[in-house]
Amino acid sequence: MTGHFEGYTPRPATYDEMFDGSDVRRSYTTVRTQIEALSPEDLRARSDYLSSSYLDQGVTFDIGGEERPFPLDIVPRLIDSTSWQAVELGVAQRVKALEAFLADIYGEGQVFRDGVIPRRVVTSSPHFLRPAMGIRPPGGVRVHVAGIDLVRDEQGAFRVLEDNVRIPSGVSYVMTNRRAMSAALPEVFTHHRIRPVAHYPNRLLAALRACAPTGVADPTVVVLTPGVYNPAYFEHALLARLMGVRLVEGGDLVAQAGHVYVRTTHGLHPVHVIYRRVDDDFLDPVHFRRDSVLGVPGLLNAARVGNVTIANAVGNGVADDKLVYTYVPDLIRYYLAQEPVLRNIDTWRMEDPTHREEVLDRLHELVLKPVDGAGGKGIVIGPRATKEQIEELRTRLLADPRGWIAQPVVQLSTVPTFIGGTMAPRHVDLRPFAVHDGERVSVLPGGLTRVALPEGELIVNSSQGGGSKDTWVLSADNPMPEVEPEPAEDGPFHPAIKPAVPPQQEPAPPTSHAQQEQQQLSRSPQPQGDPSC
Amino acid sequence: MLSRIAEALFWIGRYIERAECTSRILDVHLQVLIEDPTIDREATCRSLLAAMGVRYDGEFDQAAVLRLLLHDRSSTASVVSAIEAARESARRSREVVSTEMWEAINTTFNQLSSGQLTRMRPADAFRLVRERSSMIASMADGTLSHDTGWQFLVLGRSIERVDMTARLVLSTTYSPGSASSWQTTLRACGAHHAFTRTYRAIESPRAAAEFLLLDRLFPRSIVFGLTQAAACLEVLDPRQRRLGFGGDAARIIGQARASLDVRSLSDLMSELPREMEALQLVCVEATDAVSKRYFEGAVAPEWLGGTQ
């Protein structure tokens, strides 16, 4: 290794996405060469350009009322076409299973009768909303947009960390990162065939329109934001602008007699589809938090009578519950009669007495997560916790076993990151975004790669001092072929191909409860080696 | 057009214009202090702050003027405050404001809020603010569709211009003794060049007042501003009526313009301070009327089929 990557050493027992020992992985060879061709001053200047351009454009997120630019690292994260295909299939498969699950639990509840998941797991979730029972969303879609968090484990395999089918955010950075990087590293760009991401807003708008209430020929779509102090306000504004629709706050909408209208300078205009970025709890003070001023009184009734589509649907949060997460592989087998393409992280359920006993013995070596936490909140990493923290955790676990799951410490993969003038390994995750239009689930090639900027940090989140990387999904014949013309594509944003995984031999006899228990036991994670960080 | 967005655009128009006018005024004011040894410094600073509507109890000197009108973020009359307020409005209407315009506003805010204005030589600071404001205004005109939203922006800009010119003329009347005071006012309005081209180098308070109040072609004259505001209101509410006016704002603006039209210049000159105060009141009332009509969540209450 020479130049910028000289002295770069991947962390032990960690998968580095660029380097395999001291060798550069094939997909990264061109990036490495091209970055090496830059002088130190040049590299630094381009890196500075990224931060200053984000400041100028106001590409920010808000923490406690303070706007901060979202740091973008100069080294892109590459995903080769084979790995991507698995991600694409796996994400689409998961979204379809979660769709079926949500429709089932807010409808017939067949999944309970067939013993795939205990009813109490669902009904005890704080995000299971009874007011949503019996609402059939237009087009049958509840998960219009999904962001499935993935990590690469020590072997480099993508694993699912969590599902976000409420109001996943971050897609705006996928688009702005691409723009900024093509300006910062044009020559590196031109040496790769990178699948574009700019069509996301078109896809999203088409999907939202496709799910409009029946009989509306030209539906009006709006984006509903909690306002400028929401951390993701930048994203709300960007999506509204790129879709060419109105960005509204709760006070701009009014529900009357089962219809929703937007207040304009020329009076009230009907609204048919609300891409809401407001949490369930604040959406409709009639049904949820009465003190909320962010929502619209009467909104849920309008959705119930089918005059307005709320995207994503109300009550989806139950599918994000980390205890429900542990059942998703079974849900995939049950609803789709397929084997999961992407594996979960091995997980212990604290409400299961056998699991609990094992975990309580090993608190100092596991990661404990609250089931309804988001953004890394409340997570306790055993090996890093003090004795007091462990004891406090033990008390909390015993008080509320339903509220926790445990996982082994996964050493997330690393990618070289330009920090303080040198390249250093930093842990990353990946949030691919999927859009469901009622017919197919499209996965945006790439997604948001979040980087934990502090050294060794495993929680990758913007609210915890994270940054991001532009994520390049390479076309199959990368690097640029000499003669091959570009294959015809049906647009830059490929629909997910139907999962190619063959259905199981016997089309999913619903597992009995006993079998279910059996599977749980056999799937409970094996003790790992020293999970030191 | 969403009421909230219309309001945001209206205020972007006002705040950007306010920032530009304030920096012009400060520029000329400082030049006068430097160039004219006979001037009563304290009185000049006092009259300037009074004209800009700033309440202040401390020492009246150049430092206070710069702080209150240029770089103090806690002073609502300062340039920095105006830019910050414009940026906040732009942020609340980001899906409507064009990328170019947003970036122009945002980079200006970033530059100014970092305290740069206090470090720069005042003359450079004024130039920076003038140039950035012009650039933002031009981005608005050049990259937004000239639809309802843009009309609200121009309406805000026009009303602010009338208000600012009225304040300047008023500040001139505070120190009638100074021979150069009308010159100063002309320059503060960016009107010196246009005035000289129109009246040649004839220095007469009467001619200067006539130009700043009544010239139909100069874009910062009061009549020009009122006419433009009226045109915006006409577009925003195009209903043809046989009787009366379309809205309160149109009536208020129309009345003010008619009053300037029908009265003789001598008449106006004799009561200039009162006239200028009346014009500021016109701006306040017109803004209130526009807010009531367009910004307070839509139209007049509708009859809801007996349910109310």
Side-chain angles (χ1 to χ4, degrees), chain A residues 7 19 96 116 129 263 301 308-309 324 366 402 416 452 459 493 531:
Chain A
F19 290 99
K96 283 180 188 159
V116 181
L129 300 179
R263 300 175 205 268
N301 287 345
V308 69
T309 304
V324 172
L366 300 175
R402 166 65 178 83
I459 297 178
F493 180 19

Side-chain angles (χ1 to χ4, degrees), chain A residues 56-57 67 233 252 265, chain B residues 1 4 87 91 102 106:
Chain A
D56 291 347
Q57 293 166 28
E67 279 177 80
Y233 179 75
D252 299 323
T265 49
Chain B
M1 167 92 358
R4 184 169 51 79
R87 186 209 181 240
R91 211 179 148 217
W102 158 255
N106 191 45

Side-chain angles (χ1 to χ4, degrees), chain A residues 136-476:
Chain A
R136 282 186 49 81
V141 181
R142 290 164 199 270
V143 182
H144 302 80
V145 179
I148 309 293
D149 286 351
L150 307 176
V151 297
R152 286 185 115 155
D153 63 16
E154 290 82 347
Q155 283 72 46
F158 279 107
R159 308 276 284 261
V160 179
L161 191 64
E162 63 182 60
D163 302 291
N164 297 284
V165 295
R166 273 178 284 177
I167 44 174
S169 65
V171 74
S172 55
Y173 302 115
V174 175
M175 289 176 284
T176 54
N177 284 358
R178 185 61 53 86
R179 279 286 284 282
M181 283 291 280
S182 67
L185 288 179
E187 65 275 60
V188 184
F189 245 76
T190 52
H191 280 83
H192 291 84
R193 180 168 294 155
I194 306 160
R195 289 178 56 186
V197 294
H199 279 59
Y200 180 81
N202 311 53
R203 275 297 157 103
L204 177 58
L205 181 62
L208 293 171
R209 287 171 60 96
C211 299
T214 41
V216 182
D218 185 14
T220 301
V221 178
V222 298
V223 177
L224 175 64
T225 176
V228 290
Y229 299 111
N230 185 271
Y233 179 75
F234 164 74
E235 173 155 311
H236 308 162
L238 184 84
L239 288 175
R241 186 157 60 74
L242 293 180
M243 288 196 287
V245 305
R246 285 187 174 125
L247 180 66
V248 302
E249 296 174 9
D252 299 323
L253 297 179
V254 54
Q256 280 176 3
H259 289 268
V260 178
Y261 303 90
V262 58
R263 300 175 205 268
T264 77
T265 49
H266 288 99
L268 299 177
H269 281 271
V271 166
H272 307 104
V273 181
I274 300 176
Y275 180 48
R276 52 88 172 226
R277 299 295 298 259
V278 173
D279 279 330
D280 285 351
D281 279 355
F282 298 94
L283 208 50
D284 185 344
V286 175
H287 288 282
F288 307 117
R289 290 183 58 147
R290 293 183 189 280
D291 56 340
S292 169
V293 289
L294 301 175
V296 186
L299 181 58
L300 203 61
N301 287 345
R304 185 181 293 279
V305 293
N307 290 330
V308 69
T309 304
I310 300 177
N312 288 353
V314 170
N316 278 9
V318 66
D320 290 2
D321 187 291
K322 292 194 179 66
L323 186 55
V324 172
Y325 156 91
T326 63
Y327 291 91
V328 173
D330 296 333
L331 297 176
I332 292 172
R333 295 184 191 101
Y334 174 72
Y335 288 112
L336 308 178
Q338 295 169 351
E339 272 303 305
V341 175
L342 295 169
R343 291 178 59 200
N344 273 13
I345 305 281
D346 304 330
T347 307
W348 289 271
R349 299 166 183 154
M350 289 303 290
E351 59 144 29
D352 180 306
T354 336
H355 287 207
R356 186 160 67 231
E357 205 170 315
E358 188 181 352
V359 169
L360 286 173
D361 284 343
R362 298 174 53 197
L363 284 179
H364 59 282
E365 55 187 82
L366 300 175
V367 180
L368 272 293
K369 295 182 176 174
V371 294
D372 60 348
K377 253 182 255 154
I379 290 181
V380 180
I381 299 180
R384 301 238 178 116
T386 62
K387 263 210 163 70
E388 292 75 39
Q389 283 168 326
I390 295 274
E391 286 319 305
E392 193 208 330
L393 178 65
R394 190 185 304 276
T395 320
R396 292 174 65 194
L397 295 181
L398 288 169
D400 176 26
R402 166 65 178 83
W404 295 83
I405 56 161
Q407 291 173 340
V409 177
V410 179
Q411 289 298 330
L412 316 188
S413 62
T414 54
V415 179
T417 302
F418 191 60
I419 288 178
T422 53
M423 294 293 175
R426 287 292 183 266
H427 295 292
V428 296
D429 76 349
L430 176 67
R431 176 177 288 182
F433 292 90
V435 173
H436 188 191
D437 66 4
E439 304 227 321
R440 59 183 184 179
V441 178
S442 320
V443 183
L444 181 68
L448 179 64
T449 290
R450 291 179 299 182
V451 188
L453 294 177
E455 189 176 0
E457 177 62 58
L458 288 169
I459 297 178
V460 173
N461 197 282
S462 47
S463 49
Q464 313 249 348
S468 74
K469 280 176 175 291
D470 193 15
T471 310
W472 297 358
V473 171
L474 303 177
S475 288

